[in-house]
Amino acid sequence: MAEAVILSMIEKLENCPVNRDNIIHISGPIKWIISELRHIVDLVRNKKFGEGRRLSFLVSDLVHMAHDALDLHKKGKTSELYFIARWIGEIKMRMSKLGVDGAETESNSEDHAVLGLDKHIEMVLRTIIVYTKEYRPLVLIKGMAGIGKTTLAREIYNHADVIERFEYRAWVCVSNVTTLKDLIIKLLQHAVVDVDGDNLHTLEEMDNQSLLSMLHRHMRGQPYLIVLDDLPKQIYFRPIWKALKKEVSDGSKLVVTSHMMHGFLKNKLHDVYKMEPLDSIMSWQLFYKTINSGNKLRNEQKFPKELEYQGKLMLRKCGGLPLAIKEVANQLAQKKASTGSEWEQLLECVDFGSTLELLEPYYKKLDTRLLLCFMYMALYKENTTLRANKLTQIWYAAGEMARSHSYIEGLIDESVIDEINDKSTRYRMNPVLHRLSIKKAEKGIGFEILGSNRLNGNPRHRVIICSRDNFSYSMNQNNYYLVSLFFHGGGYFNASPTYWKGFEKLKILDFEDFGLKIVPETIGILTKLSYLGLRNNYIKELPKSVGCLKNLEVLDIAQNFMVHVPDIIWEMGSLVHLYMSDVICKKPFKIDVLQRLETLTSVSVDNLLYELSGFKMLTYLAKLGVQDLDGNTHVSKLFVLLSNFKFLEHLILRGYRFKSMSCLVELGTLKYVKTLKLDGRLDRLPNSFPCQMASLTLANSCLDEDPMPLLGKLSQLRNLILRNAFTGQRMGIFKGDFPILQVLCMEELRHLRNLQIEKGALDYVHKLEIHNCPYLDTLPEEVRSMHRLEELKMETTKTISTNIKNSHSISEIRFVNINP
């Protein structure tokens, strides 16, 4: 029966060619869908399993997807067809596991008590109930597995205000074995009275479209709150959303908890609430409550108060993840310890095995490329923050994938890494998830940590952890296949010159944040090296042997104070990215050889103008940092040069110490610059800026005159950061200013007392951040009229925080985070 149904679907798809440019053909995604369906026919035919309920439901899903594919194909919606093809691939994989013991099992809910949810509950309730500016029927509670999404959703679902507001509520636990048909039937069981026995059997006999029509009829006219808990990627959700969707807003809400960002949620009709890990205080409270609860510990086993400091250090390894904190607490409670020394030994050997087992299913189904990226996270230090350019450059240098920020976006969508917006956007992985990446990387990419018990025979990626006073190594280590080598630890490095002779294939060498003082001269024998990371060390001089690295594409020597750079570096024609700061060169740059260069983060304006003809050869330059500008700088020559760079999108201009920069009147000639940072004193703003500029940072400008009247006229500006940029007390933003600005961040405006925002100004701003403005004790009432303002972040004093929280100006802002 199943085979015949699928063959019929294939026949319909094969008979639906489209006529484009007088050529009749079947589109690529339809061919892909047909191919997947043929594989499923072979699977059904060869496995010869019975016509069970699970197979019947999966076939129903396939039929529904095929009809949707036909409809989308006729409408020419190719991108959505690719999504359907992927979902059919998921069903193929699930069918291949039917009948295998343990292959498809219901996943356990992560529901568990978590302290400190009051703030989260308040924020999500504001989104679901209070917020009325714009109807958004979808709410995604997102975060890594075990962080408390289900617990938060359950608290919201059972909240008195929610029960009063919604006539119809439904809670559906979704698992990796739930089919589309399962989900529809579960929703109908909530919506229709007496769905059991024969009635349930009748529902199971109906096709998906009939079930969806029934669901639509029953949901019409009543406001609903539906929670889909732990929604996996293999659920084809589009038909259910169409059935639930209403023509007129009645305040209905669909709440989804998931560790990933689903495709159907990537539209303007959703809110995303990201669950954050517990802070150190809440982590300790949860640990202490768990370990001392009930009869888990005898009185004489009470966790010793004198070991509280060591206990808090140990909890850092949990990264604020409630699942891990509770496991560690339960694990310690089950072991017998009475003395402080026994407790100390237990703290040093905590095991996260059970937590990793629970997390692994969520990440083992990552797309092939994202799984590789996930495993490469094992190379970095635990709890470190990472720059986007370093992540993409390491992936590319390892030869695994192209340089693309889409992989970073994918890791964020899947809750593998979190975005951290500090002074610049960086990324971090939870330490518990980092342990899982190490576990997967050991087999997946041949990763090893030198000194651990599990060493690979032919490692391709290695981390060496050094103490502050010793670097131990063996000449018997197998280095031949190594592609990457990362050094973590205390900075002591005393390897003999012969140490590097065995690294014939090494492409990546990273000493970032290591505390290295001397770069060995013998580094020049690593001729295959593509990436050399020396950022944030104590290096005083680069050896001339770096000039032998003929394949080096990335050299990062930034944040080494006053490092001497040999002249040979300007002859390394392979360089693509050169990160520097505070370098000393004996001779002016001779840079004409570096014609592949895309990034140069620090160059003295005098050197740049001296080597004018050489810099004109850098036709691919995309990011440039120019420093030491002062009142004597020949800015006309500078801007004539910069205006010739057709790919220059990111520009940083830094002043010389505390001197004012020249008035940058010719900034407007830079047609291609999209991101601009001016770091240094300015007597006044230039009258014009790059016409395509979308992002502007003014840092340490110390302007006496309010910059907003001029900046407000920038028609393409989307992001504005003012950091110690204005010394005045009053700042005004008027109607019509900043026509498309989306993000406004004000930091360290230490004299600002009065911020005026005229009604109708900042009409497109959706995020407002105010940090360390100690005299700004209130927000203007006009903030309420900023129709698209969704998020307010503020760091201020406790008194000002209390006043603003109690004011009416923030009552309709969806996400408010004011500290303390």
Side-chain angles (χ1 to χ4, degrees):
M1 175 66 177
E3 181 181 340
V5 171
I6 300 169
L7 286 172
S8 174
M9 291 158 47
I10 292 173
E11 184 178 356
K12 290 180 180 178
L13 289 168
E14 287 178 333
N15 291 328
C16 70
V18 293
N19 191 327
R20 296 274 171 82
D21 300 324
N22 296 320
I23 300 174
I24 296 177
H25 69 285
I26 298 177
S27 67
I30 289 290
K31 288 181 180 179
W32 183 9
I33 291 171
I34 291 172
S35 174
E36 292 283 30
L37 290 174
R38 289 197 181 281
H39 287 145
I40 291 174
V41 169
D42 293 338
L43 191 65
V44 172
R45 186 180 294 144
N46 294 334
K47 290 197 73 168
K48 300 187 186 312
F49 36 61
E51 300 285 338
R53 178 179 180 273
R54 179 66 57 194
L55 176 63
S56 171
F57 278 26
L58 289 172
V59 172
S60 292
D61 289 1
L62 285 174
V63 170
H64 200 102
M65 289 181 195
H67 285 299
D68 270 9
L70 286 168
D71 183 49
L72 291 169
H73 181 63
K74 292 174 183 176
K75 295 177 180 178
K77 296 184 177 181
T78 305
S79 59
E80 295 186 45
L81 283 172
Y82 280 111
F83 282 113
I84 290 182
R86 292 190 185 99
W87 275 310
I88 290 176
E90 288 282 348
I91 289 182
K92 179 183 71 175
M93 185 168 61
R94 293 174 64 180
M95 282 186 167
S96 68
K97 295 179 180 179
L98 285 179
V100 179
D101 291 340
E104 287 207 336
T105 57
E106 292 283 347
S107 61
N108 294 322
S109 169
E110 64 167 41
D111 207 354
H112 47 264
V114 178
L115 295 172
L117 279 179
D118 292 346
K119 182 178 179 181
H120 296 293
I121 293 171
E122 179 186 349
M123 295 282 275
V124 179
L125 281 177
R126 178 190 291 265
T127 302
I128 292 178
I129 297 176
V130 177
Y131 192 81
T132 58
K133 281 185 181 178
E134 187 177 343
Y135 177 50
R136 302 246 180 127
L138 298 173
V139 179
L140 171 64
I141 300 176
K142 180 180 177 291
M144 65 177 291
I147 205 165
K149 302 183 297 295
T150 298
T151 307
L152 174 61
R154 184 66 74 180
E155 292 290 330
I156 297 297
Y157 185 79
N158 292 322
H159 196 278
D161 291 342
V162 170
I163 293 173
E164 182 180 353
R165 167 70 180 81
F166 297 101
E167 295 179 21
Y168 169 81
R169 294 182 305 133
W171 180 285
V172 179
C173 292
V174 192
S175 74
N176 61 343
V177 302
T178 304
T179 64
L180 173 61
K181 188 167 185 175
D182 280 323
L183 195 48
I184 304 169
I185 291 174
K186 286 181 179 181
L187 289 172
L188 280 169
Q189 286 178 299
H190 284 276
V192 184
V193 181
D194 297 329
V195 178
D196 53 12
D198 293 337
N199 292 332
L200 178 59
H201 181 72
T202 301
L203 292 179
E204 292 179 353
E205 292 295 318
M206 295 169 63
D207 61 53
N208 285 17
Q209 191 55 56
S210 300
L211 292 170
L212 288 167
S213 298
M214 181 185 295
L215 180 65
H216 181 76
R217 288 195 304 272
H218 280 281
M219 300 307 297
R220 187 185 301 157
Q222 56 177 331
Y224 66 75
L225 172 72
I226 295 174
V227 178
L228 301 181
D229 184 33
D230 200 14
L231 190 69
K233 69 172 65 177
Q234 60 263 37
I235 289 289
Y236 180 51
F237 191 79
R238 184 172 175 267
I240 290 182
W241 174 236
K242 286 177 66 178
L244 294 174
K245 199 172 178 181
K246 299 190 177 183
E247 291 73 22
V248 179
S249 167
D250 60 0
S252 293
K253 291 284 185 176
L254 172 66
V255 179
V256 174
T257 74
S258 181
H259 74 283
M260 69 186 72
M261 175 67 79
H262 293 265
F264 76 91
L265 280 169
K266 291 189 176 181
N267 57 56
K268 295 181 179 180
L269 296 175
H270 77 278
D271 284 305
V272 178
Y273 185 78
K274 183 176 173 295
M275 288 286 290
E276 301 286 350
L278 299 179
D279 61 25
S280 57
I281 296 174
M282 298 309 301
S283 293
W284 178 252
Q285 290 179 5
L286 178 60
F287 170 79
Y288 200 76
K289 179 181 178 181
T290 304
I291 199 169
N292 291 324
S293 64
N295 297 318
K296 289 182 179 177
L297 294 179
R298 304 191 308 270
N299 289 334
E300 65 271 18
Q301 282 184 279
K302 211 77 170 174
F303 190 82
K305 189 161 183 64
E306 63 270 18
L307 289 181
E308 185 172 317
Y309 177 74
Q310 288 96 319
K312 289 180 178 178
L313 283 180
M314 180 273 301
L315 282 184
R316 290 183 184 178
K317 299 178 181 179
C318 298
L321 187 67
L323 181 68
I325 295 169
K326 291 174 72 72
E327 184 199 350
V328 168
N330 288 325
Q331 190 180 128
L332 293 174
Q334 291 170 5
K335 297 180 180 179
K336 294 181 179 179
S338 55
T339 66
S341 59
E342 289 176 344
W343 275 111
E344 198 165 359
Q345 290 176 2
L346 290 177
L347 288 172
E348 291 175 355
C349 61
V350 293
D351 178 34
F352 291 89
S354 298
T355 298
L356 296 185
E357 284 183 15
L358 289 171
L359 292 180
E360 192 164 359
Y362 289 92
Y363 298 98
K364 71 179 182 181
K365 294 186 70 174
L366 289 171
D367 293 341
T368 304
R369 292 295 186 186
L370 290 185
L371 183 58
L372 268 175
C373 296
F374 174 61
M375 290 187 286
Y376 272 102
M377 296 300 292
L379 299 172
Y380 306 104
K381 293 178 184 177
E382 183 180 286
N383 264 329
T384 193
T385 58
L386 296 162
R387 304 177 305 280
N389 54 32
K390 181 171 184 176
L391 288 171
T392 56
Q393 288 160 7
I394 293 294
W395 296 332
Y396 179 74
E400 300 290 359
M401 59 198 74
R403 280 176 286 200
S404 173
H405 280 243
S406 63
Y407 301 124
I408 293 177
E409 293 167 4
L411 292 178
I412 294 172
D413 283 352
E414 296 275 0
S415 297
V416 173
I417 58 176
D418 291 321
E419 187 176 83
I420 301 170
N421 286 305
D422 192 3
K423 292 184 178 180
S424 60
T425 302
R426 300 207 175 193
Y427 306 92
R428 178 184 288 149
M429 174 183 271
N430 187 281
V432 179
L433 204 53
H434 185 258
R435 285 180 175 78
L436 181 59
S437 74
I438 291 173
K439 178 182 175 182
K440 302 293 286 184
E442 286 173 347
K443 291 183 179 179
I445 59 174
F447 171 74
E448 70 173 16
I449 300 177
L450 205 61
S452 68
N453 296 325
R454 302 188 302 275
L455 295 179
N456 280 287
N458 297 310
R460 299 186 70 247
H461 305 277
R462 178 183 292 160
V463 164
I464 297 177
I465 301 177
C466 302
S467 66
R468 290 192 175 274
D469 55 4
N470 185 37
F471 169 58
S472 59
Y473 65 95
S474 169
M475 298 306 293
N476 295 323
Q477 293 166 4
N478 186 355
N479 303 322
Y480 180 77
Y481 295 99
L482 274 183
V483 173
S484 71
L485 181 61
F486 281 66
F487 284 81
H488 301 169
Y492 190 82
F493 184 79
N494 63 339
S496 69
T498 59
Y499 175 74
W500 298 108
K501 290 186 177 179
F503 297 90
E504 286 88 349
K505 297 186 177 182
L506 195 68
K507 293 182 179 180
I508 301 165
L509 178 60
D510 188 66
F511 284 97
E512 183 169 341
D513 301 327
F514 184 65
L516 189 68
K517 294 181 179 179
I518 299 174
V519 179
E521 185 73 35
T522 49
I523 198 171
I525 67 174
L526 304 177
T527 56
K528 294 287 196 287
L529 209 61
S530 174
Y531 181 100
L532 178 57
L534 301 171
R535 179 181 290 245
N536 195 26
N537 283 287
Y538 302 106
I539 300 166
K540 295 298 183 184
E541 184 176 8
L542 278 186
K544 289 186 177 181
S545 60
V546 295
C548 300
L549 306 177
K550 301 301 182 183
N551 292 296
L552 194 66
E553 295 189 355
V554 181
L555 175 58
D556 189 348
I557 55 174
Q559 299 178 26
N560 285 276
F561 184 66
M562 305 305 284
V563 57
H564 289 260
V565 176
D567 299 337
I568 194 74
I569 199 172
W570 314 120
E571 299 177 15
M572 299 173 65
S574 61
L575 282 176
V576 178
H577 304 283
L578 179 53
Y579 300 95
M580 303 189 301
S581 57
D582 299 316
V583 299
I584 300 174
C585 301
K586 293 180 179 179
K587 298 179 182 178
F589 293 177
K590 299 288 292 183
I591 205 163
D592 54 302
V593 175
L594 306 183
Q595 295 183 24
R596 296 182 61 199
L597 207 62
E598 296 177 11
T599 302
L600 178 60
T601 59
S602 180
V603 57
S604 167
V605 65
D606 292 333
N607 274 333
L608 189 151
L609 295 177
Y610 180 86
E611 185 58 24
L612 204 58
S613 60
F615 271 93
K616 289 180 180 178
M617 306 292 289
L618 306 184
T619 53
Y620 295 105
L621 199 63
K623 182 175 183 178
L624 175 65
V626 184
Q627 62 187 36
D628 298 338
L629 278 75
D630 61 20
N632 298 319
T633 300
H634 296 289
V635 290
S636 295
K637 285 186 179 180
L638 174 64
F639 289 121
V640 167
L641 170 64
L642 297 182
S643 63
N644 291 321
F645 295 141
K646 302 295 191 267
F647 295 98
L648 184 63
E649 293 188 352
H650 309 281
L651 177 64
I652 303 169
L653 300 178
R654 291 191 175 92
Y656 180 69
R657 297 185 181 177
F658 300 105
K659 295 183 179 181
S660 294
M661 290 189 276
S662 298
C663 186
L664 308 173
V665 293
E666 293 168 297
L667 263 174
T669 62
L670 306 182
K671 300 178 182 178
Y672 308 103
V673 170
K674 295 180 179 178
T675 301
L676 175 65
K677 180 177 181 180
L678 303 180
D679 188 350
R681 293 185 69 90
L682 290 170
D683 292 330
R684 61 187 178 89
L685 286 177
N687 292 324
S688 64
F689 285 86
C691 60
Q692 295 187 42
M693 185 179 66
S695 178
L696 172 64
T697 299
L698 294 180
N700 305 311
S701 306
C702 300
L703 292 161
D704 296 326
E705 187 178 347
D706 183 1
M708 291 311 202
L710 178 58
L711 298 179
K713 303 300 183 289
L714 300 177
S715 60
Q716 299 301 312
L717 194 64
R718 288 176 171 81
N719 297 278
L720 175 61
I721 300 174
L722 302 177
R723 185 180 302 123
N724 188 26
F726 175 52
T727 59
Q729 297 183 9
R730 297 170 64 88
M731 180 179 284
I733 304 173
F734 304 101
K735 183 176 181 179
D737 286 353
F738 300 103
I740 62 171
L741 190 72
Q742 297 175 6
V743 177
L744 173 60
C745 180
M746 299 187 293
E747 301 178 14
E748 299 176 27
L749 306 185
R750 300 190 181 278
H751 301 282
L752 183 65
R753 294 175 180 270
N754 187 353
L755 175 63
Q756 296 179 337
I757 301 177
E758 194 173 273
K759 191 171 183 179
L762 303 177
D763 201 34
Y764 282 85
V765 168
H766 63 78
K767 183 175 183 180
L768 175 62
E769 293 192 28
I770 302 174
H771 304 293
N772 299 322
C773 300
Y775 292 107
L776 187 64
D777 56 4
T778 186
L779 291 177
E781 285 291 325
E782 286 75 15
V783 167
R784 299 182 66 187
S785 65
M786 295 168 59
H787 300 293
R788 292 176 176 82
L789 183 60
E790 299 180 350
E791 184 176 357
L792 170 66
K793 286 188 176 181
M794 195 168 181
E795 288 182 14
T796 184
T797 65
K798 189 172 184 180
T799 302
I800 294 175
S801 172
T802 302
N803 291 339
I804 292 178
K805 286 177 181 177
N806 293 333
S807 70
H808 294 293
S809 58
I810 65 169
S811 61
E812 294 189 20
I813 302 175
R814 187 182 276 110
F815 301 116
V816 178
N817 188 358
I818 303 178
N819 289 315

